Amino acid sequence: MTRTIVVHSHRGGTGKSSVLANLALLLAAGGHRVGAVDTDLQSPTLDLLFGLPPGAGSLADYLLGRCEIETAARRTGVPGLYLVPARTGTAALRELMTTGYDVGLLPEGFDRLARHHALDVLLLDTHAGLNNESVTAMGSADVVLIMARADRIDLSGVEETIALVGRLACRRVLVLSMAPEGIDREDVRRRAEDVYGAPLAGVLPYVPEMAALYGERIFVDAHPGHPLVGEFRAILSALDARDEVSRA
Ligand SMILES: Nc1ncnc2c1ncn2[C@@H]1O[C@H](COP(=O)(O)OP(=O)(O)O)[C@@H](O)[C@H]1O
Ligand SMILES: [Mg+2]
């Protein structure tokens, strides 16, 4: 059975795509069959992060009826890791905005992809906030990984997301990103559980080495021994855990 993990945040630039790319590499290195879909049609990222060569086939093409989702899934150069890029240019976006698309194609595409590649894990990247793609992705999720900075606006967005996710049959975990130095983890953990009913899966500090990569390499590949990689592994363990807090 494929486990579907959605990475979401209220605002952009929170580190969703970076975390997703790193988790994808760690999972694939652990021998899992992994699919990643960039549902961020507005600001695609994963094709650049994975250095995908330009070519035909993307989520946008699939939504416009121009290709099958199986054709849109590309090899990444990492064994066992497939990627569906969001789009290959702006033309498809304009078309999608003008004509719209059948949102039912998204869950159908995720299912077909999972079956076609016999995926163990399907990772769905999202655009920030609540929109057709992010809400539909969350509707397909087994777990939603909600990312937020320690910031009032980000955290108010978490409440909104949790109010939505609470109606869906999926678990949720919280990851704090760009955490200020010296943050009290226990306090954050307690608050995450008490206020959001979500276990804290990780606290990611701002890491200058990550910013210095300019998105040209994926962090775990460039800095395999860095403590941040330990934090990414802790997130994977929390995603595996069958906790009760998230079902409250
Ligand atoms: N822990 C981190 N420390 C420093 N920079 C980070 C960290 N996580 C992500 N970044 C940088 O922040 C920017 C936005 O990250 P990204 O993953 O694209 O966010 P999102 O997908 O939520 O919009 C990128 O330039 C990325 O390299
Ligand atoms: Mg992103």
Side-chain angles (χ1 to χ4, degrees):
M1 256 230 348
T2 308
R3 210 150 57 98
T4 301
I5 298 167
V6 172
V7 183
H8 184 258
S9 69
H10 179 64
R11 290 198 292 180
T14 316
K16 289 183 294 300
S17 303
S18 309
V19 164
L20 185 142
N22 281 283
L23 298 186
L25 281 194
L26 289 173
L27 284 164
H32 294 93
R33 293 181 62 79
V34 183
V37 181
D38 192 347
T39 78
D40 189 346
L41 296 168
Q42 291 96 329
S43 39
T45 301
L46 295 182
D47 55 331
L48 293 173
L49 273 180
F50 283 100
L52 216 61
S58 65
L59 183 66
D61 291 334
Y62 161 69
L63 295 174
L64 289 166
R66 305 239 163 88
C67 72
E68 301 296 334
I69 192 76
E70 293 86 348
T71 323
R74 316 255 204 98
R75 290 182 188 280
T76 55
V78 178
L81 176 56
Y82 300 87
L83 171 63
V84 177
R87 56 178 166 82
T88 42
T90 49
L93 180 62
R94 225 168 22 239
E95 220 173 319
L96 282 169
M97 287 167 86
T98 312
T99 60
Y101 66 89
D102 173 4
V103 287
L105 287 171
L106 285 167
E108 186 187 319
F110 302 149
D111 284 349
R112 269 172 43 194
L113 199 62
R115 273 200 307 274
H116 182 77
H117 286 296
L119 298 178
D120 299 311
V121 184
L122 178 64
L123 294 164
L124 304 179
D125 197 8
T126 60
H127 188 65
L130 304 178
N131 52 58
N132 276 346
E133 297 77 48
S134 65
V135 173
T136 310
M138 287 192 261
S140 293
D142 295 298
V143 195
V144 178
L145 194 163
I146 303 169
M147 295 194 57
R149 282 161 291 216
D151 163 303
R152 197 165 58 88
I153 299 163
D154 273 27
L155 294 173
S156 78
V158 172
E159 283 179 35
E160 204 173 50
T161 308
I162 284 191
L164 173 75
V165 169
R167 299 198 194 120
L168 305 171
C170 62
R171 292 172 61 229
R172 68 226 183 188
V173 299
L174 185 72
V175 169
L176 208 66
S177 71
M178 320 275 181
E181 228 174 284
I183 193 163
D184 181 343
R185 273 177 180 255
E186 270 322 298
D187 181 53
V188 177
R189 183 180 307 282
R190 241 187 339 266
R191 275 212 244 172
E193 292 181 2
D194 294 350
V195 180
Y196 306 121
L200 184 70
V203 175
L204 307 177
Y206 181 86
V207 173
E209 294 94 320
M210 166 83 94
L213 290 176
Y214 296 108
E216 283 173 357
R217 282 182 77 186
I218 295 171
F219 192 85
V220 297
D221 184 36
H223 300 284
H226 194 283
L228 185 62
V229 178
E231 294 285 350
F232 292 143
R233 290 191 190 282
I235 293 175
L236 286 178
S237 305
L239 290 172
D240 270 342
R242 292 281 168 260
D243 53 87
E244 290 306 313
V245 176
S246 63
R247 294 183 185 279

